[in-house]
Amino acid sequence: NYQALLDDLLSHGGLASLLLFFAFVVIGILFLMQLVLGTVIDTYMEEAQKELRSKRVKQAKGLMRAFGVLDLRREGKLRHKAFDRLLHRLRPSDSPFERQLKFSLLSNKYKACANSAPSTPGRPSTPGRLDE
């Protein structure tokens, strides 16, 4: 497409001018590719972060809704009986001992957190805790 330009470069400047011209073109293309690729990657990362935040919010809302269904007395904690029924329905292959073990491990974990965290008057210290 640029035969006249290439002929001028070869006739007046020789091989060095031609190499300089091609190096300039290659460097320019690489620079433009870097700009476009950087913009595409930044846009993708922003969208991926928005999607991740949206999934986390949906997950938290779902967990709070599920906890609200399980916490019938609105005490901010699950009783052993409700937890046992839930696990029995979700994992029927678990033995009663395994369900008891899971409950005790989770309730001890949240009891330790409750002892270290200051509580607000009128509110339970750890919402969503398991209690016997």
Side-chain angles (χ1 to χ4, degrees):
N1 290 345
Y2 300 104
Q3 191 62 38
L5 177 64
L6 291 176
D7 289 340
D8 275 347
L9 282 173
L10 281 175
S11 64
H12 296 309
L15 188 60
S17 296
L18 185 63
L19 289 176
L20 182 66
F21 174 74
F22 280 118
F24 178 75
V25 169
V26 167
I27 289 172
I29 289 172
L30 289 175
F31 177 74
L32 289 176
M33 279 179 39
Q34 181 181 5
L35 287 176
V36 169
L37 189 60
T39 304
V40 168
I41 289 174
D42 284 345
T43 304
Y44 171 77
M45 294 302 287
E46 287 175 8
E47 291 299 319
Q49 286 178 352
K50 285 180 186 176
E51 185 177 339
L52 181 62
R53 274 190 228 113
S54 172
K55 284 182 181 179
R56 285 184 180 167
V57 166
K58 286 179 184 177
Q59 182 183 26
K61 285 181 180 179
L63 287 173
M64 290 303 291
R65 193 174 322 147
F67 181 77
V69 168
L70 292 171
D71 184 23
L72 298 175
R73 297 180 184 172
R74 305 287 183 236
E75 297 174 328
K77 57 188 174 184
L78 291 182
R79 300 218 178 261
H80 183 268
K81 191 174 182 179
F83 185 78
D84 190 55
R85 282 193 312 247
L86 172 71
L87 278 186
H88 184 64
R89 186 169 187 176
L90 294 177
R91 298 185 55 104
S93 61
D94 283 359
S95 69
F97 174 74
E98 289 173 320
R99 292 193 301 265
Q100 172 63 34
L101 182 63
K102 289 176 184 178
F103 180 80
S104 63
L105 288 173
L106 287 172
S107 62
N108 287 337
K109 176 184 174 185
Y110 287 107
K111 283 180 185 176
C113 291
N115 292 338
S116 63
S119 62
T120 307
R123 293 186 63 195
S125 57
T126 53
R129 69 175 193 238
L130 300 172
D131 195 28
E132 297 177 33

